[in-house]
């Protein structure tokens, strides 16, 4: 078998269009290929500032791609174009103006240039939102690629299939200029799995301790150390999980020490045992799981092939909130929780009376065991969370105003393997913008909140609550994921940092418009893989 360096084509000259915060560039780094980014272009000034902060040697242009000329393309002479065009024209909750949307103009302009360009790039990768695959713009893209003599393949993929606990279903296209060929047989169908050639790369791993900064200063912009990174080195595995038990501390703040890993594994096994026999619905309200109603630029949860293994079919249910309830919630729901700690039951048990976080709050989230795209041995959310003191994390706690949106939240726990798609509205908008994480380990508190949600749904009382009801929800310790944690779930490495001048809202916004680094890295390697060398 050839080495990875021998398997891929020579050094790339990359033109990065709609470059955002640099997700494509980080994917290039993870892929291990040799490359030079000859130009990056994006009109978003905040995104450009982050890109330039992380890659100061790259020329980042803030000009619109509609101003791109043939002479510029000829001067840069890229042999690779990576791009993530604006997705708003194709979303299921948007106006779907498609190629009539002004935000599509730059992409159509680029297609026109590609047709005229004498020395065409050898490789093209396009990323966009789910919904692009049924657009007129996508048809124009395919027509252009055929006219320019490219061979190509389309995909619909989510990080869940790669072992990453975040649902982010996206459209991808990879293309090669003939006579170059792929190592796999292409199909006119949009594939919902990746070819077997990439199986050795489908493994998202936590970095070594030495990869993280020695110190990490707290700031409102969350630029400190993280606990996840992507690795190009991976053993062959059909499941892209990060299950290396020999890894020790994942960062200098000591999140993944051996004792905590072992405790987590015991806790997770019990959660899985108790969940496996449950048939309760995953949501009790419109958008309650975080996937049935998404922000205008993200789509999740479509049906697809399962790279991992799974046995449960997704279950959905709906209900409406049309009026205030006349009946108060039952006494036991709004009373104060007992003080003793009813934590997750450790160890396997056939006792159906055992109380776990997972089974106590099933109606508060979309459950991973009912999603066939979740990797069975995938990583858990706790591996992506920052370890900070309570004072630091308090700034991310939900306000009482936010808590009144509880019935439409997707609420997850650090031990879970799935979170909803994060959008650009995350951090200042609750419904459909991404998961909220509860920091309590008291399963009785979770059960109490779950019963309260069931009552609120039954009585169509969405938010007309008093102090007693809100106190139930406060005990969950619900908070937003920090920008660093969202970046971790998008597989940005620990070296990725935000400029100090950006605030938390700005960081969440640009992350919501970004992509998953690991998924793109795998597709870059698949695109460049030469036939006959593996």
């Amino acid at each position: 078998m050839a080495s990875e360096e021998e398997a891929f084509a020579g050094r790339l000259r990359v033109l990065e269009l709609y470059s955002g915060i640099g997700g494509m560039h980080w994917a290039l780094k993870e892929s291990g290929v040799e490359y030079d980014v000859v130009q990056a272009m994006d009109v978003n000034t905040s995104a450009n500032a982050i890109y330039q902060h992380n890659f100061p040697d790259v020329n980042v242009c803030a000009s619109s791609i509609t101003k791109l000329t043939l002479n510029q393309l000829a001067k840069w002479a890229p042999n690779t174009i990576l791009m993530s065009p604006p997705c708003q024209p194709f979303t299921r909750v948007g106006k779907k103006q498609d190629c009539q949307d002004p935000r599509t103009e730059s992409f159509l302009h680029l297609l026109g240039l590609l047709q005229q360009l004498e020395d065409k790039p050898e490789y093209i990768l396009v990323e966009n939102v789910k919904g692009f695959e049924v657009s007129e713009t996508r048809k124009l893209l395919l027509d252009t690629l055929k006219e320019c003599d490219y061979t190509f393949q389309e995909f619909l993929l989510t990080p869940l299939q790669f072992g990453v606990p975040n649902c982010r279903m996206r459209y991808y296209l990879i293309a090669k200029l003939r006579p170059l060929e792929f190592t796999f047989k292409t199909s006119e169908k949009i594939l919902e799995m990746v070819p077997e050639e990439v199986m050795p790369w489908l493994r998202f791993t936590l970095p070594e301790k030495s990869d993280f900064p020695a110190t990490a200063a707290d700031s409102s912009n969350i630029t400190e150390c993280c606990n996840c990174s992507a690795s190009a080195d991976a053993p062959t595995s059909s499941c892209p999980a990060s299950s290396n038990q020999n890894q020790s501390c994942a960062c200098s703040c000591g999140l993944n020490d051996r004792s905590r890993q072992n405790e987590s594994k015991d806790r997770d096994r019990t959660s899985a045992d108790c969940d496996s026999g449950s048939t309760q619905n995953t949501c009790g309200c419109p958008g309650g799981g975080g996937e049935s109603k998404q922000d205008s630029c993200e789509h999740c949860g479509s049906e697809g092939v399962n790279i991992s293994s799974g046995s449960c079919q997704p279950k959905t249910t709906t209900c409406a909130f049309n009026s205030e309830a006349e009946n108060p919630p039952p006494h036991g729901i709004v009373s104060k929780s007992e003080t003793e700690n009813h934590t997750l039951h450790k160890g396997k048990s056939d006792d159906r009376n055992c109380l776990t976080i997972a089974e106590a709050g099933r109606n508060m989230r979309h459950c991973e065991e009912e999603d066939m795209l979740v990797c069975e041995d995938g990583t858990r959310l706790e591996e992506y969370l920052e370890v900070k003191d309570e004072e630091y994390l308090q700034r991310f706690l939900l306000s009482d105003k936010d808590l009144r949106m509880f019935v439409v939240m997707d609420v997850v726990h650090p031990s879970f393997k799935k979170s909803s798609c994060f959008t650009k509205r995350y951090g200042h908008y609750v419904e459909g913008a991404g998961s909220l994480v509860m920091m309590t380990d008291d399963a009785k508190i979770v059960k109490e909140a779950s019963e309260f949600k069931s009552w609120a749904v039954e009585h169509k009382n969405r938010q007309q609550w008093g102090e007693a009801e809100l106190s139930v929800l406060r005990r969950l310790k619900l908070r937003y994921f920090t920008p660093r944690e969202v970046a971790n779930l998008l597989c940005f490495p620990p070296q990725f940092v935000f400029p100090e001048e950006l605030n938390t809202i700005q960081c969440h916004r640009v992350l919501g418009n970004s992509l998953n680094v690991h998924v793109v890295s795998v597709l870059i390697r698949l695109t460049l893989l030469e036939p006959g060398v593996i």
Side-chain angles (χ1 to χ4, degrees):
M1 180 179 291
S3 68
E4 194 163 278
E5 290 76 12
E6 295 171 329
F8 300 136
R11 194 173 188 90
L12 302 180
R13 289 181 55 82
V14 180
L15 174 60
E16 200 176 347
L17 301 177
Y18 314 98
S19 50
I21 61 176
M24 293 284 190
H25 197 142
W26 287 111
L28 280 167
K29 290 182 73 68
E30 183 191 328
S31 69
V33 302
E34 296 184 351
Y35 69 93
D36 295 305
V37 175
V38 297
Q39 182 72 45
M41 296 184 69
D42 201 294
V43 295
N44 188 307
T45 55
S46 295
N48 287 343
I50 297 173
Y51 190 113
Q52 199 76 76
H53 186 74
N54 286 275
F55 300 108
D57 295 332
V58 175
N59 185 25
V60 182
C61 179
S63 174
S64 170
I65 292 172
T66 56
K67 298 180 181 179
L68 190 61
T69 67
L70 279 174
N71 288 337
Q72 286 176 309
L73 286 175
K75 179 181 178 181
W76 296 328
N79 66 356
T80 304
I81 295 181
L82 307 178
M83 54 181 157
S84 182
C87 55
Q88 292 89 345
F90 317 110
T91 59
R92 61 184 176 184
V93 295
K95 295 181 180 180
K96 291 188 177 181
Q97 291 182 306
D98 202 342
C99 54
Q100 303 302 317
D101 193 302
R103 289 167 291 194
T104 311
E105 181 182 355
S106 61
F107 185 65
L108 299 179
H109 173 72
L110 182 64
L111 294 181
L113 292 179
L114 186 62
Q115 291 173 315
Q116 302 173 57
L117 191 62
E118 185 174 345
D119 294 321
K120 294 176 172 53
E122 296 175 301
Y123 310 102
I124 295 175
L125 187 150
V126 180
E127 185 261 9
N128 212 288
V129 72
K130 184 181 184 304
F132 182 85
E133 77 279 5
V134 295
S135 68
E136 181 65 23
T137 303
R138 173 249 186 178
K139 183 178 182 300
L140 294 174
L141 168 62
L142 300 191
D143 289 345
T144 299
L145 293 175
K146 292 174 183 177
E147 180 182 332
C148 295
D149 203 24
Y150 282 89
T151 181
F152 55 85
Q153 182 61 59
E154 300 171 282
F155 298 90
L156 282 174
L157 300 169
T158 172
L160 292 172
Q161 298 167 283
F162 295 70
V164 181
N166 183 237
C167 184
R168 199 174 186 83
M169 182 67 69
R170 305 293 276 188
Y171 168 91
Y172 300 93
L173 176 142
I174 56 176
K176 278 187 172 183
L177 186 64
R178 290 188 174 92
L180 297 175
E181 297 180 352
F182 289 106
T183 58
F184 62 94
K185 185 177 181 180
T186 58
S187 170
E188 292 185 0
K189 296 181 179 180
I190 299 177
L191 301 183
E192 296 176 331
M193 66 178 297
V194 287
E196 61 181 8
E197 286 90 336
V198 307
M199 286 301 176
W201 311 323
L202 298 185
R203 193 176 182 88
F204 185 72
T205 60
L206 299 175
E208 297 295 335
K209 180 178 180 179
S210 59
D211 291 338
F212 290 89
T215 60
D218 289 352
S219 74
S220 60
N221 302 318
I222 324 305
T223 61
E224 55 277 73
C225 71
C226 66
N227 349 80
C228 90
S229 177
S231 170
D233 301 323
T236 302
S237 172
S238 60
C239 180
S242 174
S243 56
N244 186 355
Q245 297 181 8
N246 295 322
Q247 280 186 302
S248 58
C249 181
C251 75
S252 58
C253 49
L255 170 64
N256 290 299
D257 55 65
R258 186 66 57 87
S259 61
R260 182 165 177 178
Q261 283 183 345
N262 293 337
E263 180 178 347
S264 172
K265 290 173 184 176
D266 290 338
R267 180 176 62 193
D268 297 338
R269 280 195 294 267
T270 303
S271 296
D273 292 340
C274 292
D275 285 345
S276 60
S278 175
T279 58
Q280 185 173 346
N281 290 321
T282 59
C283 64
C285 58
E291 292 184 6
S292 56
K293 184 174 182 180
Q294 287 291 335
D295 187 33
S296 60
C297 67
E298 298 298 341
H299 293 270
C300 301
S302 71
E303 295 180 358
V305 71
N306 187 14
I307 292 178
S308 61
S309 60
S311 58
C312 300
Q313 294 291 338
K315 303 177 181 65
T316 59
T317 184
T318 58
C319 70
F321 296 95
N322 298 320
S323 62
E324 297 182 12
E326 296 181 358
N327 300 321
H331 173 73
I333 293 178
V334 298
S335 62
K336 288 188 176 181
S337 176
E338 297 180 16
T339 57
E340 56 265 33
N341 186 27
H342 296 270
T343 57
L344 290 164
H345 186 78
K346 294 180 174 61
K348 292 186 177 181
S349 172
D350 293 327
D351 182 4
R352 298 306 300 163
N353 292 322
C354 73
L355 192 60
T356 70
I357 295 287
E359 68 176 355
R362 289 183 59 83
N363 68 334
M364 292 157 53
R365 73 189 195 280
H366 275 296
C367 301
E368 62 266 21
E369 65 272 14
E370 295 179 345
D371 190 333
M372 295 185 66
L373 296 178
V374 175
C375 182
E376 183 178 278
D377 296 320
T379 49
R380 298 188 181 275
L381 288 167
E382 62 191 349
E383 300 185 46
Y384 300 77
L385 300 184
E386 297 187 274
V387 174
K388 295 294 181 182
D389 57 37
E390 187 174 347
E391 180 181 358
Y392 168 82
L393 292 176
Q394 277 213 330
R395 72 188 70 174
F396 300 101
L397 287 176
L398 270 67
S399 66
D400 283 356
K401 179 181 178 181
D402 290 339
L403 288 175
R404 292 186 183 277
M405 299 294 291
F406 174 67
V407 291
V408 295
M409 292 178 187
D410 182 64
V411 178
V412 297
H413 185 266
S415 63
F416 297 165
K417 292 189 204 173
K418 179 181 177 181
S419 59
S420 295
C421 184
F422 296 102
T423 76
K424 64 183 180 181
R425 298 187 295 177
Y426 191 73
H428 65 283
Y429 192 86
V430 173
E431 185 173 6
S435 295
L436 290 309
V437 59
M438 55 181 167
M439 300 310 297
T440 180
D441 280 335
D442 189 328
K444 189 169 184 179
I445 289 176
V446 177
K447 184 175 186 294
E448 193 175 16
S450 173
E451 291 173 346
F452 171 71
K453 178 175 179 177
S454 296
W455 170 86
V457 169
E458 179 183 356
H459 295 282
K460 301 182 176 64
N461 184 348
R462 177 166 174 161
Q463 55 182 233
Q464 301 302 314
W465 311 325
E467 176 63 25
E469 290 89 342
L470 289 173
S471 69
V472 173
L473 305 183
R474 292 191 196 110
R475 290 195 287 272
L476 289 174
K477 299 180 182 178
L478 284 174
R479 69 169 178 87
Y480 292 99
F481 285 84
T482 72
R484 179 67 259 181
E485 291 166 347
V486 176
N488 292 347
L489 287 164
L490 294 179
C491 301
F492 282 82
Q495 294 80 13
F496 169 78
V497 293
F498 297 105
E500 293 182 1
E501 62 268 21
L502 295 184
N503 61 39
T504 300
I505 291 178
Q506 289 174 307
C507 293
H508 275 139
R509 182 179 295 124
V510 293
L511 286 166
N513 283 331
S514 191
L515 48 78
N516 187 281
V517 170
H518 182 56
V519 177
V520 174
S521 171
V522 169
L523 292 177
I524 287 175
R525 282 177 274 187
L526 178 62
T527 304
L528 301 178
L529 197 60
E530 296 287 356
V533 296
I534 287 187

